[in-house]
Amino acid sequence: MAIPTTRPGGPAERAQLPLEREPDALTIGRRIRHLRTVRGMTLEELGAAIGRAPSQVSLLENGRREPRFSQLQAVARALGASLDDVLSPEPPSRRDALEIELERAQRGPLFESLGLRPVRVGKSLPTDALETIVALRRELERLHTERAATPEEARRANVELRATMRAQDNYFPELEGAAAELLAGVGHTGGPLPQRVAADVAAHLGFTLHHVPDVPHSTRSVLDLRHRRVYLPSDRMRGRSNPTSALLQALAPYVLGHAEPQGYGEFLRQRVEANYLAAAILLPERAAVKALRAAKDARAISIEDLRDAFAVSYETAAHRFTNLATRHLGIGVHFMKVHDSGVIHKAYENDGVRFPADALGAVEGQHVCRSWTARTIFDAEDRLSPFSQYTDTPAGTYWCTSRVQDGADGLFSVSVGVPFAHVRWFLGRDTTRRLASRCPDEACCRRPPEQLAERWAGQAWPSARPHASMLAAMPAGAFPGVDQTEVFSFLERHAPPV
């Protein structure tokens, strides 16, 4: 997975930029053919100049042979051109670009799977026919990709993203740099981020804010890049969402230079990057690390204290702790957001804890053990005081602290945990709650007790209520689940008069 790219020249200019494209054999071949034709040379003449047979030059021009560097130097000299002329990643003409695209497609697995005879791409193929074939190829690939965007594809994307996050300890310095640069641009030096300063961030980026009652129901916000406007739900529509966080998440795609996602994996990555950037602005790295290091020195790390110090939600504070804990405090950590039904909605770990996972390695959608803190907290009568528990698992003993929050889809627990070796740094380590989990052993909590099973086996027929996403493909479109017609109509309705 490519880690965040940013808008060149924008506020996050120092973050990683896209790598320059490398020319492939097809493009190099087309450039050689173009330069040869412009200079009026035949295949035989170029072959003689570089000491190769005309057939070998033809293979080179058709991209059928990977050229050696010494060979390219000889070709460039023979054509009176520079190596840059030969190695440019851009096709020499629009016609060449179409030919290259068709050649690549015909050599790819999708075309091969259709069992079609390849089209000979040469001068005899009219340009309009070439354009039609390429357009049909693009539409076929789009439909194939759309059909492939199944829940399985989504789970694979989640697995790949979590692996990337784990490899970097969920810490992305380029996003931290982008957040610091934005905060410096509006003069915010630390402490909770007032809504006024969040509005200053928008103005600093050249955007005006507009709170409207008719934001499309399939969206949380809409950016009008043409008129530099940010549309957010009006006060009566905000519900439980934090307006400051919503604004920062809305601006993040612009700051990071996101393009329309080409697949669910890219869409998911962009969502994670936007959330990360918003949290890094709400809890700036320098100030948050200073507070956490002081808490560690006092052996009093608390997600509640981090939440209160920066006036954010518990979930935002918990997420932010996972960004900073390993890199700055040397603490491995895991995070979970779990529905009261026991289903995992979000999860991250780099401390060796073993989450339940399916055959693909996906964690989201799995049921967490009934003995884990993320489940036992739902039985707690006191929802105001911090809740923590030790859990003995096959992977070791873990301490976890958790909170219950109300969401649009019901109650969720948000939990942060660490291995036993690190618990000495945390408030709540003196808890007496301790349970044992043998999951993934089904006898732990997934298999009913033998006596109960004997009494009811064959006598129950529950009506399952699966999520629709289990049965259907991912929603179509660049942004899954978003009604693009509704969004465009909304922008047209609110656009300022010309």
Side-chain angles (χ1 to χ4, degrees), residues 148-354:
T150 61
E152 178 178 328
E153 190 264 346
R155 292 197 297 274
R156 289 186 189 277
N158 266 295
V159 172
E160 292 173 4
L161 181 60
R162 188 179 301 104
T164 299
M165 294 164 69
R166 185 189 304 113
Q168 298 196 194
D169 294 324
N170 204 22
Y171 178 84
F172 295 91
E174 58 274 20
L175 295 178
E176 300 288 351
E181 191 168 345
L182 280 174
L183 290 171
V186 297
H188 184 70
T189 56
L193 189 79
Q195 282 187 249
R196 170 186 55 79
V197 177
D200 290 344
V201 171
H204 176 70
L205 295 171
F207 285 87
T208 57
L209 304 184
H210 302 268
H211 294 283
V212 295
D214 59 338
V215 170
H217 74 280
S218 60
T219 68
R220 295 183 295 184
S221 62
V222 178
L223 276 186
D224 179 349
L225 297 175
R226 175 178 296 166
H227 303 104
R228 311 285 282 208
R229 290 181 161 204
V230 184
Y231 292 104
L232 296 164
S234 56
D235 290 339
R236 67 182 180 82
M237 294 181 63
R238 287 178 186 167
R240 302 181 182 89
S241 63
N242 182 314
T244 303
S245 179
L247 171 58
L248 296 175
Q249 289 174 4
L251 291 168
Y254 172 79
V255 175
L256 299 175
H258 287 164
E260 284 195 4
Q262 298 302 304
Y264 184 76
E266 188 177 354
F267 167 77
L268 184 62
R269 174 182 63 83
Q270 290 180 358
R271 284 284 298 272
V272 169
E273 290 173 7
N275 290 339
Y276 190 116
L277 181 65
I281 295 173
L282 290 168
L283 295 90
E285 181 177 20
R286 181 177 298 177
V289 169
K290 181 180 179 180
L292 288 171
R293 282 178 172 162
K296 184 183 180 185
D297 291 341
R299 299 197 173 202
I301 297 175
S302 165
I303 305 300
E304 283 85 358
D305 288 352
L306 187 64
R307 171 199 64 190
D308 296 342
F310 291 91
V312 295
S313 69
Y314 186 87
E315 183 175 352
T316 297
H319 267 299
R320 192 65 177 131
F321 181 74
T322 69
N323 300 148
L324 306 173
T326 308
R327 178 60 60 97
H328 293 288
L329 305 179
I331 297 175
V333 65
H334 65 268
F335 166 91
M336 281 189 294
K337 182 177 181 180
V338 176
H339 189 258
D340 64 356
S341 64
V343 173
I344 299 175
H345 278 232
K346 298 178 183 178
Y348 164 78
E349 59 80 21
N350 71 345
D351 62 354
V353 74
R354 290 180 59 189

Side-chain angles (χ1 to χ4, degrees), residues 43-84:
L43 283 172
E44 289 76 10
E45 289 171 338
L46 179 57
I50 64 173
R52 292 288 184 271
S55 60
Q56 291 179 310
V57 177
S58 179
L59 288 173
L60 189 64
E61 291 188 348
N62 289 322
R64 299 284 179 181
R65 175 169 295 175
E66 290 285 345
R68 295 189 304 274
F69 186 73
S70 58
Q71 191 176 36
L72 291 177
Q73 288 179 312
V75 168
R77 285 194 298 269
L79 294 174
S82 68
L83 271 176
D84 287 342

